[in-house]
C-alpha cells in the first residue's frame, strides 16, 4: 500500500496520537478561536512526523478521540465534538496539515499535497 498511509518502519504513533493537536481540532470544529500557542504546539508535534505518516497520525488521533468518548459511527453531537457533525470533524482533521503548512506525500511517486484527503474520506473515522 502506498500513499500517505505508508509509514517508514519504526515510526510508531504516540498513544494517544498527537495530544497537542486534540485541542486544536476541538476548537476549530466547534468554531472557537484557536490560541496561537495551541496552533504552534500542534504544528510542532506534527512536524516531527514523517510526511508519509502525518495523515495516518491524524486519523489515529481522531479515531482514539472517538473511542475515548464512546461515539458510534454516524452519531453527531456526541463525545469529543458536541457541536460538530462527524463529516465536519473529519474534514477539519484532514486540513490540520494545511493549517500548519506541513506537506504530506500523497502517493508513491512522491507527489505532495497539504490536505489529507484519505482522512476525510475514511468511512470509519
Amino acid at each position: 500500500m502506498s500513499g500517505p498511509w505508508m509509514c517508514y518502519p519504526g515510526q510508531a504513533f504516540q498513544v494517544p496520537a498527537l495530544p497537542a493537536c486534540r485541542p486544536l481540532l476541538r476548537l476549530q470544529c466547534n468554531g472557537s478561536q484557536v490560541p496561537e500557542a495551541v496552533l504552534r504546539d500542534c504544528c510542532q508535534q506534527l512536524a516531527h512526523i514523517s510526511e508519509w505518516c502525518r495523515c495516518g497520525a491524524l486519523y489515529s488521533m481522531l479515531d482514539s478521540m472517538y473511542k475515548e468518548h464512546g461515539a458510534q459511527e454516524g452519531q453527531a453531537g456526541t463525545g469529543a465534538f458536541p457541536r460538530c457533525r462527524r463529516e465536519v470533524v473529519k474534514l477539519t482533521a484532514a486540513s490540520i496539515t494545511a493549517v500548519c503548512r506541513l506537506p504530506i506525500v500523497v502517493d508513491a511517486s512522491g507527489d505532495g499535497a497539504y490536505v489529507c484527503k484519505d482522512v476525510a474520506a475514511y468511512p470509519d473515522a
Side-chain angles (χ1 to χ4, degrees):
M1 183 177 225
S2 64
W5 299 104
M6 184 179 80
C7 293
Y8 298 112
Q11 171 126 27
F13 299 128
Q14 294 179 13
V15 178
L18 297 171
C21 292
R22 290 165 166 241
L24 173 69
L25 181 58
R26 282 191 191 99
L27 290 166
Q28 277 188 326
C29 194
N30 291 326
S32 301
Q33 182 70 27
V34 176
E36 187 64 35
V38 171
L39 178 63
R40 181 188 64 242
D41 291 349
C42 173
C43 293
Q44 285 176 350
Q45 192 170 64
L46 197 55
H48 290 294
I49 295 175
S50 159
E51 293 178 6
W52 284 102
C53 300
R54 288 177 182 151
C55 293
L58 288 167
Y59 164 70
S60 180
M61 175 192 72
L62 188 57
D63 186 55
S64 67
M65 289 175 80
Y66 276 122
K67 285 179 181 170
E68 286 167 15
H69 290 276
Q72 299 298 312
E73 176 62 32
Q75 285 184 324
T78 60
F81 310 100
R83 296 188 303 267
C84 206
R85 285 195 339 258
R86 208 167 178 100
E87 300 78 31
V88 175
V89 174
K90 289 193 287 187
L91 291 171
T92 303
S95 70
I96 289 176
T97 47
V99 170
C100 292
R101 295 183 185 96
L102 293 170
I104 56 168
V105 178
V106 294
D107 62 33
S109 70
D111 287 343
Y114 284 92
V115 175
C116 299
K117 293 182 179 144
D118 289 346
V119 172
Y122 201 84
D124 298 323

